[in-house]
Amino acid sequence: MIARIWRASATPEGADGYERHFTGAVLPSLRGVAGHRGAYLLRRDADGRVEIEVMTLWDSMDAIRRFAGDDPATAVVEPAARAVLLGYDTTVTHHTVSVSDGDLQ
């Protein structure tokens, strides 16, 4: 399994808006991609700003390419997400999940 990780920052209001976008648009889209295994939206409130981290889980790099396109290192950030974020990474990182205690194995 491969974890795809992306980071962004927002105001508290923007983070709430991103959460609505994530649950209303991103998750339904991901569920339609063969090889998608799950997703987490992490939030850290600090000093009036919010750090956002998204981790999606995938069967393979081929599954990630079905979602992200030919360059899997490029972040997929829709205009609706860009509108509520202060900043975001334009690239993602991929990590092999070597141990998991979750039920996504």
Side-chain angles (χ1 to χ4, degrees):
M1 185 163 44
I2 300 170
R4 176 181 168 91
I5 299 172
W6 172 78
R7 293 178 177 85
S9 64
T11 64
E13 297 79 16
D16 292 343
Y18 182 77
E19 185 173 331
R20 287 189 296 275
H21 169 71
F22 186 80
T23 58
V26 175
L27 287 179
S29 175
L30 291 173
R31 290 179 186 128
V33 180
H36 175 252
R37 301 282 300 275
Y40 294 93
L41 173 59
L42 308 175
R43 173 181 174 143
R44 180 176 179 268
D45 292 75
D47 299 324
R49 291 175 59 128
V50 180
E51 298 170 9
I52 296 169
E53 188 167 329
V54 175
M55 181 186 341
T56 55
L57 300 170
W58 302 89
D59 283 335
S60 66
M61 289 303 294
D62 286 337
I64 292 170
R65 282 185 191 90
R66 284 192 286 275
F67 166 70
D70 291 336
D71 183 4
T74 298
V76 177
V77 187
E78 297 174 352
R82 292 178 191 159
V84 297
L85 297 171
L86 291 174
Y88 57 89
D89 290 351
T90 58
T91 59
V92 301
T93 58
H94 296 100
H95 307 263
T96 300
V97 177
S98 59
V99 176
S100 172
D101 191 28
D103 56 357
L104 295 173
Q105 293 185 27

